[in-house]
Amino acid sequence: MRDKRMSLDEVVGELRSGMTIGIGGWGSRRKPLAFIRAILRSDIKDLTVVTYGGPDLGLLCSAGKVRKAYYGFVSLDSAPFYDPWFAKARTGGEITVREMDEGMVKCGLQAAAARLPFLPIRAGLGSAVVDFWDGELKTVRSPYTDADGRSETLIAMPALNLDASFVHLDLGDKHGNAAYTGVDPYFDDLYSLAAERRYLSVDRLVETDELVKAVPQQSIILNRMMVDGVVEAPGGAHFTFSGSYGRDEKFQRHYVEAAKTPESWAEFKATYLDVSEDEYQAAVRAFAEEQK
Amino acid sequence: MTDTATITRAEICVVAAAEIFRGAGEIMASPMSTVTTIGARLARLTFEPDLLLSDGEALFFAEVPAIGGKAPIEGWIPFSKVFDVVASGRRHVVMGANQIDKHGNQNLSAFGPLQQPTRQMFGVRGAPGNTINHATSYFVPKHNRRVFVEAVDIVSGIGYDKIDPENPAYRFHHLHRVVSNLGVFDFNGPDHTLRALSLHPGVSADEVAENTSFEIAGLAEAGETRLPTEEELRIIRTVLDPKGFRDKEVSA
């Protein structure tokens, strides 16, 4: 069986500007931020991003790498809730958005996973979602009528086909089998199924037999058919949480505060972003020490 | 004896929030704020014992904990399955609102133009799917003209004037209540517009009118919101919210 282990930089080497990428996790929960940090270090730009957004989208916006965003929401999940860099990109008119109902994101990923052009969904009808999509979102009329002879017209949610997907899980093997260990798988399996190239980072890389003994079988949400590259990235979801560590609330607040002025952001960027992943993790440990 | 003489506005709001769920039966109650969470739990502990309550993350509570507390669980409800519940219709959500208009259109997305807002909030979240699939109510802890507006900037939650009566896809839309720090409302005014059901003790019709950008039906006739019973007060004060988190959301 293929050994799919890669480095973060090797993964980024496979990306191209202008790609449509899907980012797993949810808000500030189990986001593949080591991948995002690697993208920030690269010259990749003009990305179209599909996400249940959190600081992943914020960080990409901070570096001007997003051209278009498809999302159900953007939230940091704890005060101050609204991501500062996403807010700046929006109020600056820097990105085109295809905002949608949260359930529409799942629906669009399911359509892509099943290689369908669309799936019907009720959510979105009557709301500003239709206006956000500037004519790109159509409706579909049921060929079946109800008892009164009437047909339902529903949103035809288009497939959210992805050039690449990025997800972070707690535990995986070098072939791409991987499991979550928290309370929620989120939609990471769907992101992988919807994408052409599928990249996985894990907090801990283990042998297959250790993986299957460590978790209930139902938690192994990725199989080998769903993954092209595996990166071992301890703390790879930081400052969002993963199975073995909680959200770093102090650091997330630091991120929000740093976004307030060009000077504070330059300092944050120099310390945490213009550095390797190892240096990032060391700087984060130093930050935690200072906070004690 | 519980002291009913010192009943606070927050406690009135908790009971009004509980009343949102009266008659709901065996569905998922999804309150999105502190006061409405206490209200849903109060309903479950008193007149709606079959409600399903989650921890707001991925677990269904078997027993009802205090705000911020833990309790034994009875099931699993990760986000993916929440969307299945939404589509099934077996849910009643109580959302917040940055703006709400007289027809029940709600905004929690952003202020200003769609592609270049003046202030960014969450985006539409689950509001479009919630409002078209199942019962939806709103809670507004600070009732004022900036929230109760003539027209919302971005329609996240859909109001009655967005319904296409020719299209049966809209048939599950139902906005049940709006509870604010001033009163209890529904959308049974003329043409499904906001109507006052009751004002909280000490609140005048003038105060509500001054704090709303449009005319509210039935404002002059609205009675007084009911007080908590002694048993409800005991549950709120000693079981569900002994630390008084409710007062942080609703003052006075």
Side-chain angles (χ1 to χ4, degrees):
Chain A
M1 288 184 286
R2 285 198 293 145
D3 183 343
K4 297 173 183 168
R5 284 176 293 179
M6 298 175 75
S7 69
L8 289 168
D9 290 338
E10 283 170 339
V11 169
V12 171
E14 294 191 354
L15 303 181
R16 296 291 172 263
S17 292
M19 274 185 163
T20 297
I21 66 167
I23 305 171
W26 169 285
S28 186
R29 304 168 198 222
R30 219 181 60 226
K31 281 286 173 179
L33 290 188
F35 280 129
I36 301 302
R37 289 185 281 268
I39 292 172
L40 292 191
R41 290 191 294 271
S42 77
D43 53 12
I44 302 287
K45 57 184 198 312
D46 292 330
L47 294 170
T48 293
V49 177
V50 177
T51 184
Y52 288 104
D56 53 329
L57 188 53
L59 285 164
L60 289 172
C61 286
S62 79
K65 296 201 178 283
V66 184
R67 189 188 43 163
K68 196 172 183 183
Y70 291 71
Y71 57 87
F73 65 83
V74 180
S75 172
L76 296 176
D77 290 337
S78 58
F81 295 99
Y82 309 139
D83 182 274
W85 281 111
F86 172 68
K88 277 185 201 183
R90 290 275 286 137
T91 55
E94 294 164 29
I95 58 176
T96 300
V97 303
R98 296 291 177 256
E99 188 169 309
M100 71 191 103
D101 175 78
E102 293 172 11
M104 292 171 71
V105 180
K106 177 188 176 188
C107 187
L109 292 172
Q110 284 176 315
R115 300 180 297 174
L116 293 168
F118 72 90
L119 280 171
I121 187 168
R122 190 169 285 112
L125 286 173
S127 76
V129 166
V130 178
D131 306 319
F132 269 112
W133 283 59
D134 287 331
E136 282 181 25
L137 189 66
K138 318 273 191 203
T139 55
V140 60
R141 187 178 158 94
S142 172
Y144 307 106
T145 52
D146 64 16
D148 301 326
R150 300 194 306 166
S151 282
E152 284 190 55
T153 297
L154 297 156
I155 295 286
M157 179 63 208
L160 293 170
N161 294 302
L162 308 173
D163 295 313
S165 65
F166 301 91
V167 302
H168 182 84
L169 291 171
D170 311 319
L171 206 60
D173 69 14
K174 64 187 173 193
H175 308 299
N177 299 299
Y180 71 102
T181 63
V183 289
D184 198 322
Y186 308 118
F187 300 85
D188 291 355
D189 51 346
L190 282 179
Y191 281 101
S192 293
L193 289 169
E196 198 72 38
R197 297 287 296 171
R198 297 78 47 91
Y199 301 103
L200 160 73
S201 61
V202 291
D203 284 309
R204 208 152 64 84
L205 195 64
V206 295
E207 291 301 320
T208 307
D209 62 340
E210 187 182 342
L211 168 69
V212 299
K213 281 177 195 153
V215 296
Q217 291 91 326
Q218 298 93 317
S219 302
I220 306 173
I221 56 172
L222 299 187
N223 60 54
R224 289 187 285 115
M225 293 182 286
M226 298 161 75
V227 176
D228 296 294
V230 181
V231 176
E232 185 170 35
H238 183 272
F239 44 93
T240 69
F241 63 69
S242 192
S244 53
Y245 46 92
R247 181 181 304 135
D248 189 340
E249 297 286 4
K250 284 179 181 165
F251 190 87
Q252 178 163 288
R253 280 197 294 278
H254 183 48
Y255 157 74
V256 170
E257 288 299 314
K260 284 182 177 166
T261 69
E263 296 74 27
S264 56
W265 187 252
E267 193 182 329
F268 185 93
K269 193 166 170 289
T271 310
Y272 300 108
L273 300 176
D274 295 337
V275 297
S276 71
E277 180 66 15
D278 285 347
E279 289 166 326
Y280 171 81
Q281 295 293 346
V284 162
R285 283 192 292 275
F287 175 82
E289 280 301 316
E290 277 173 36
Q291 297 294 306
K292 276 181 184 166
Chain B
M1 285 284 285
T2 301
D3 183 3
T4 52
T6 60
I7 292 169
T8 65
R9 184 66 60 80
E11 287 161 349
I12 303 271
C13 288
V14 165
V15 171
E19 286 288 345
I20 287 173
F21 297 102
R22 190 178 285 277
E26 201 158 37
I27 62 157
M28 181 174 179
S30 295
M32 299 290 176
S33 79
T34 304
V35 161
T36 55
T37 298
I38 301 168
R41 291 179 186 186
L42 178 64
R44 160 86 177 255
L45 287 175
T46 54
F47 51 82
E48 286 297 328
D50 291 329
L51 285 177
L52 285 82
L53 299 172
S54 86
D55 65 352
E57 195 160 6
L59 303 171
F60 275 129
F61 285 129
E63 291 168 25
V64 180
I67 285 291
K70 290 185 191 308
I73 64 161
E74 64 170 341
W76 188 48
I77 186 75
F79 288 121
S80 178
K81 290 185 186 296
V82 172
F83 298 145
D84 295 342
V85 174
V86 169
S88 83
R90 301 193 66 81
R91 186 166 182 254
H92 190 150
V93 68
V94 188
M95 292 188 282
N98 294 88
Q99 295 174 321
I100 189 161
D101 74 15
K102 67 178 170 182
H103 293 288
N105 294 292
Q106 168 253 25
N107 177 20
L108 47 61
S109 172
F111 293 142
L114 294 177
Q115 296 293 349
Q116 188 168 0
T118 54
R119 176 154 189 256
Q120 179 64 44
M121 284 92 77
F122 283 123
V124 297
R125 293 221 76 151
N130 290 341
T131 48
I132 203 157
N133 277 297
H134 56 64
T136 299
S137 293
Y138 293 106
F139 180 65
V140 179
K142 286 195 176 67
H143 188 134
N144 62 48
R145 283 173 174 258
R146 288 190 306 281
V147 178
F148 289 87
V149 291
E150 274 293 335
V152 305
D153 291 22
I154 294 173
V155 177
S156 314
I158 66 173
Y160 282 96
D161 59 344
K162 297 297 184 289
I163 303 306
D164 175 2
E166 301 303 312
N167 181 1
Y170 286 89
R171 68 194 181 280
F172 305 117
H173 177 259
H174 171 58
L175 304 181
H176 186 61
R177 293 279 166 80
V178 178
V179 175
S180 78
N181 61 320
L182 300 184
V184 180
F185 310 86
D186 67 9
F187 289 96
N188 289 324
D191 299 320
H192 282 296
T193 51
L194 195 74
R195 176 183 70 160
L197 288 175
S198 66
L199 306 185
H200 302 328
V203 175
S204 69
D206 284 347
E207 186 180 356
V208 176
E210 280 163 20
N211 284 287
T212 308
S213 302
F214 51 84
E215 197 178 330
I216 298 179
L219 196 50
E221 303 84 61
E224 202 168 86
T225 309
R226 81 165 173 89
L227 296 176
T229 64
E230 280 195 22
E231 175 65 1
E232 285 171 335
L233 271 186
R234 184 191 66 78
I235 293 171
I236 294 167
R237 291 176 179 177
T238 67
V239 178
L240 291 176
D241 188 25
K243 291 180 180 162
F245 290 115
R246 60 193 179 279
D247 299 319
K248 292 194 169 72
E249 196 169 77
V250 174
S251 51

